[in-house]
């Protein structure tokens, strides 16, 4: 193969949102950006997705909230957050200093709370897109339904769609039988893009105490352990819908990120890797650039969805 | 100087059957730590163990970092098997530090908690009354060094195999009782004895009652399951009394708390503020 030289384009589009590269941060692993600013230049990121926000602040779960598992971790933070109002007042001004799109992740207990949070965040200067969390595994009955019951899901997305003009990303749960079906429901209800996937429910047992290690009993599994599941879920989703898909689940390296992009994801989000290595996002961006150079590809969009499936 | 750097292991030797001392040589100049701060250290070479583990700084000399650790779980076991020449990723120094003591002070160490307190005892040589409690004599480490550095040492073990048999908090209580008769210390008087503690939660909780009764300031280094160490994951929180709520709503708000991060607002907290 003849290797082309010259500038390579890493820029991608998620609905109307333009990213300088496809590397985003996964909600809940990057705080509101501040913690990482001392380790990396935030301007280099494709987008920052902030910790999930609710219309009123949440205290979160008791501890232990996290436990390591083979090549992964379980978390049950319980959506601790400062609330939409404090985010807009205290955290957004910091993020506005950077030339990087900010995606506000949000959730609610009821349709009304979802709509209120979406409306308030849409008014705020410096929020460029919304990511709707309907799939956190650490909430009890009544809430999880939004992510796993097609009818509830359709209802809540339809209402949020009416409340915002920003690009609306819906984050899907892997804890379903057919993610393609759920993806179509979200698309038809007005989602502009999908994040695939949230964590997988899991449990770790302390055998001496005969008790679950996490205070919440169960938690969401993340990290490299879940990556093959996530790649397959992204592939399934991309075949089910025509809106862009953001791939995530255990991405540690550029090679991991490329698996998702080749499987059809337009962008990717780095999650647990941020905990292990605060500069992981930059290493992944640089690794993708290097891969394009090695492969003689000048535009990342030529890589996206380039999977050659075995007949 | 970045807080994220690589180090070469220059020592990883056993102090006794349970404890090892890890010495790291950073690849570049690093920020000097303060007593009570900690580092997140890579403990394996593949994805398992995945997360870095938090370790209190034990010593920092000539740009070398050392950490005293006990082999307890997967992370420390993996770390104990690494050799000189192996290279690790390290993040730090992280968290706050022990406030400076006014004069002499009391340090209360439970087990491996000694690792966090030793930099303080070393910095303020011959000023610490060290209370060091452990399960048995095999769990007491670095005694030679501490004897040299501390003003006085009191030892207790659960089984009586070294020092006095019983809990270290009882020894602290007895000591404060005797001191009160001798000195009449007042909490408001400048130079009142401060107390610094690191150890298991039951020890810290018992100590909080003793120091409250004695009216002495006490600072405790807390521990919690931690994923990132830099404030992002919100895994390592502790309950802290919500002073704002009690100011606004008085007794009605008693027992209300907020969560603070051990890695960011801690690991050192005023023991009075902790909700057990």
């Amino acid at each position: 193969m003849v290797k082309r030289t010259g500038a390579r384009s890493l820029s991608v589009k998620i609905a109307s949102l333009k990213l300088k590269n496809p590397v985003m941060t996964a909600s809940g692993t990057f705080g509101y950006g501040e913690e990482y600013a001392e380790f990396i230049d935030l301007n280099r990121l494709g987008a920052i997705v902030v910790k999930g926000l609710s219309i009123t602040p949440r205290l979160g779960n008791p501890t232990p909230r996290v436990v390591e598992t083979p090549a992964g971790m379980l978390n049950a933070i319980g959506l601790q957050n400062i609330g939409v109002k404090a985010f807009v007042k205290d955290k957004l001004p910091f993020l506005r200093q950077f030339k990087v799109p900010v995606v506000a992740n949000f959730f609610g207990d009821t349709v009304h709370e979802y709509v209120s949070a979406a409306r308030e965040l849409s008014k705020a200067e410096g929020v460029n897109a919304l990511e709707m969390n309907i799939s956190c595994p650490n909430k009890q009955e009544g809430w999880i339904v939004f992510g796993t019951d097609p009818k509830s899901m359709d209802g809540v997305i339809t209402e949020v769609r009416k409340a915002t003009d920003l690009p609306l990303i819906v984050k899907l749960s892997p804890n379903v039988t057919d993610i393609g079906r759920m993806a179509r429901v979200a698309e038809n209800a007005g989602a502009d893009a999908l994040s695939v996937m949230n964590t997988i429910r899991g449990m770790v047992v302390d055998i001496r105490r005969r008790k679950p290690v996490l205070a919440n009993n169960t938690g969401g599994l993340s990290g490299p352990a879940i990556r093959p599941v996530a790649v397959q879920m992204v592939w399934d989703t991309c075949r089910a819908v025509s809106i862009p898909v953001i791939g995530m689940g255990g991405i540690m390296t550029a090679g991991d990120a490329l698996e998702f992009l080749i499987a059809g994801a337009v962008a990717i989000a780095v999650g647990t890797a941020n905990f292990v290595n605060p500069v992981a996002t930059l290493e992944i961006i640089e690794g993708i650039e290097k891969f394009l150079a090695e492969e003689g590809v000048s535009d990342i969009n030529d890589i996206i969805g380039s999977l050659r499936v075995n007949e | 100087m970045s807080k994220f750097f690589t180090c070469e292991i220059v020592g990883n030797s056993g102090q006794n059957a349970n404890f090892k001392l890890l010495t790291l040589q950073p690849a570049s100049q690093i920020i000097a730590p303060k007593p009570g701060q900690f580092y997140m250290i890579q403990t394996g070479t593949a994805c398992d163990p995945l997360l870095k583990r938090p370790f209190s700084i034990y010593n920092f000399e000539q740009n070398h970092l050392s950490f005293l650790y006990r082999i307890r779980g997967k992370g420390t076991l993996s770390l104990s098997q690494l050799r000189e020449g192996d290279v690790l990723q390290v993040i730090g120094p992280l968290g706050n530090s022990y406030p400076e003591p006014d004069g002499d002070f009391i340090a209360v160490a439970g087990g491996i908690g000694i690792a966090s307190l030793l930099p303080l005892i070393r910095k303020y040589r011959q000023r610490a009354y060290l209370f060091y409690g452990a399960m048995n004599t095999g769990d007491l480490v670095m005694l030679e060094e501490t004897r040299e550095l501390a003003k006085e040492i009191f030892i207790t073990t659960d089984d009586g195999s070294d020092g006095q048999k019983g809990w270290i908090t009882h020894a602290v209580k007895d000591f404060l009782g005797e001191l009160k008769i001798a000195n009449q210390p007042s909490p408001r008087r400048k130079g009142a004895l401060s107390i610094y503690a690191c150890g298991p939660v039951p020890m810290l909780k018992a100590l909080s009652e003793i120091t409250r009764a004695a009216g002495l300031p006490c600072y405790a280094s807390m521990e919690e399951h931690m994923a990132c160490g830099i404030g992002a994951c919100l895994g390592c929180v502790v309950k802290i009394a919500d002073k704002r709520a009690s100011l606004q709503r008085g007794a009605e708000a008693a027992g209300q708390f907020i969560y603070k991060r051990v890695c960011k607002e801690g690991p050192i907290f005023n023991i009075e503020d902790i909700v057990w």
Side-chain angles (χ1 to χ4, degrees):
Chain A
M1 189 193 283
V2 180
K3 294 198 177 175
R4 282 178 279 174
T5 54
R8 294 177 203 285
S9 169
L10 255 65
S11 65
V12 295
K13 266 182 86 175
I14 302 168
S16 60
L17 190 68
K18 276 191 197 145
L19 311 189
K20 63 176 89 70
N21 64 62
V23 179
M24 308 168 64
T25 62
S27 177
T29 66
F30 211 72
Y32 306 109
E34 293 158 321
E35 283 80 11
Y36 287 89
E38 68 173 307
F39 296 102
I40 60 173
D41 177 5
L42 299 182
N43 282 318
R44 292 187 58 193
L45 297 172
I48 292 174
V49 184
V50 301
K51 171 80 181 156
L53 296 157
S54 47
I55 193 71
T56 48
R58 296 287 175 110
L59 203 50
N61 289 332
T63 57
R65 290 175 166 191
V66 292
V67 59
E68 191 179 271
T69 59
M73 63 177 280
L74 276 185
N75 87 79
I77 306 301
L79 296 166
Q80 176 180 341
N81 80 95
I82 58 175
V84 168
K85 207 181 274 176
F87 167 73
V88 171
K89 184 171 158 279
D90 302 331
K91 304 295 178 183
L92 259 185
F94 170 80
L95 287 169
R96 278 201 294 265
Q97 302 172 67
F98 300 94
K99 291 189 198 74
V100 56
V102 171
V103 179
N105 180 289
F106 72 102
F107 67 94
D109 276 345
T110 61
V111 172
H112 178 72
E113 284 184 16
Y114 270 102
V115 169
S116 307
R119 192 170 285 141
E120 289 305 311
L121 288 166
S122 302
K123 280 188 223 158
E125 188 198 334
V127 173
N128 304 100
L130 299 182
E131 183 181 61
M132 185 172 169
N133 179 5
I134 52 166
S135 51
C136 177
N138 297 326
K139 293 289 292 185
Q140 297 307 311
E141 277 61 48
W143 198 87
I144 202 150
V145 139
F146 289 125
T148 53
D149 172 55
K151 214 173 144 194
S152 310
M153 185 178 176
D154 175 68
V156 70
I157 297 173
T158 302
E159 291 307 312
V160 167
R161 177 72 283 174
K162 289 182 207 159
T164 183
D165 293 325
L166 289 176
L168 178 64
I169 304 162
V170 174
K171 189 165 184 174
L172 297 181
S173 170
N175 302 304
V176 294
T177 314
D178 180 359
I179 197 164
R181 180 174 171 220
M182 304 307 284
R184 278 190 297 272
V185 171
E187 181 179 34
N188 292 333
D192 294 312
L194 302 171
S195 282
V196 177
M197 59 191 211
N198 210 317
T199 53
I200 304 173
R201 280 187 91 195
M203 184 193 255
V204 173
V205 174
D206 179 334
I207 57 171
R208 298 279 174 200
R209 295 166 65 226
R210 273 68 142 181
K211 285 182 82 169
V213 171
L214 294 179
N216 190 56
N217 297 324
T218 62
L221 182 64
S222 64
I226 69 167
R227 196 176 61 243
V229 179
V231 172
Q232 174 261 320
M233 291 260 175
V234 164
W235 185 53
D236 275 359
T237 307
C238 289
R239 287 180 300 160
V241 296
S242 53
I243 50 176
V245 171
I246 305 160
M248 64 201 71
I251 295 173
M252 305 295 288
T253 65
D256 301 343
L258 284 157
E259 283 195 45
F260 284 85
L261 296 169
I262 291 167
V266 168
I268 59 97
V270 178
T272 301
N274 293 315
F275 296 158
V276 179
N277 171 3
V279 307
T281 43
L282 299 193
E283 290 176 6
I284 290 168
I285 294 165
E286 283 160 15
I288 292 173
E289 275 170 350
K290 188 164 168 262
F291 177 84
L292 293 188
E294 284 167 5
E295 293 286 312
V297 176
S298 60
D299 188 339
I300 187 73
N301 289 288
D302 294 340
I303 291 288
I304 291 165
S306 62
L307 187 71
R308 300 172 193 150
V309 184
N310 300 314
E311 294 304 326
Chain B
M1 282 184 283
S2 174
K3 281 189 187 175
F4 179 59
F5 50 91
T6 56
C7 289
E8 187 183 322
I9 298 179
V10 293
N12 193 15
S13 55
Q15 298 302 301
N16 65 25
N18 301 327
F19 296 88
K20 288 190 107 173
L21 187 71
L22 174 74
T23 306
L24 301 176
Q25 180 174 13
S28 50
Q29 278 296 115
I30 56 165
I31 301 164
K34 295 181 193 138
Q37 288 193 299
F38 71 98
Y39 289 78
M40 295 297 287
I41 302 177
Q42 179 187 359
T43 63
T45 46
C47 278
D48 197 29
L50 175 69
L51 302 167
K52 292 184 167 61
R53 298 293 195 271
F55 295 93
S56 290
I57 182 68
Y58 172 79
N59 200 2
F60 178 66
E61 248 175 5
Q62 293 163 344
N63 209 43
H64 280 52
L65 296 161
S66 58
F67 302 90
L68 180 66
Y69 67 99
R70 185 192 173 115
I71 302 168
R72 253 181 100 172
K74 192 162 82 174
T76 45
L77 181 65
S78 173
L79 184 63
S80 74
Q81 288 156 355
L82 299 179
R83 303 208 175 149
E84 284 175 24
D86 286 345
V87 173
L88 297 176
Q89 283 181 349
V90 175
I91 310 172
L94 300 168
N96 63 359
S97 55
Y98 291 111
E100 227 174 278
D102 257 343
D104 291 347
F105 62 96
I106 293 175
V108 187
I112 188 65
I114 189 72
S116 158
L117 290 163
L118 257 168
L120 189 75
I121 298 167
R122 197 181 291 115
K123 185 168 176 188
Y124 303 102
R125 218 183 151 91
Q126 294 298 322
R127 279 170 56 182
Y129 295 95
L130 172 64
F131 289 79
Y132 187 5
M135 301 223 278
N136 54 55
T137 185
D139 284 351
L140 293 160
V141 275
M142 300 298 175
L143 281 177
E144 253 170 64
E145 189 185 4
T146 48
R147 275 186 221 289
E148 203 177 295
L149 298 170
K151 194 175 171 107
E152 218 171 317
I153 300 187
F154 304 82
I155 288 169
T156 62
T157 50
D158 293 0
D159 65 357
S161 53
D162 204 335
Q164 205 179 323
K165 185 176 173 176
W167 291 352
I168 197 65
T169 44
H170 289 169
V172 175
K173 194 176 177 181
D174 291 347
F175 178 77
L176 290 177
E178 285 164 26
L179 207 67
K180 198 166 183 182
I181 299 161
N183 284 344
Q184 301 281 332
S186 145
R188 279 175 191 83
R189 194 185 71 192
K190 194 172 150 49
L193 266 184
S194 335
I195 300 172
Y196 301 86
C198 185
V201 164
M203 180 196 100
L204 296 174
K205 193 179 168 192
L207 188 66
S208 72
E209 283 154 23
I210 294 164
T211 56
R212 184 180 309 131
L216 294 175
C218 179
Y219 306 96
S221 178
M222 299 295 286
E223 213 178 14
E224 232 336 307
H225 288 245
M226 197 176 275
C228 69
I230 60 173
C233 76
L234 308 183
C236 65
V237 295
V238 286
K239 289 179 183 174
I240 298 294
D242 188 353
K243 283 185 189 150
R244 213 170 48 182
S246 44
L247 274 178
Q248 285 166 357
R249 296 202 296 283
E252 187 202 323
Q256 286 203 8
F257 62 88
I258 50 173
Y259 281 119
K260 290 203 173 178
R261 297 167 293 185
V262 168
C263 71
K264 206 76 183 177
E265 287 83 33
I268 320 293
F269 293 94
N270 188 330
I271 209 164
E272 262 183 42
D273 298 338
I274 299 168
V275 178
W276 302 100

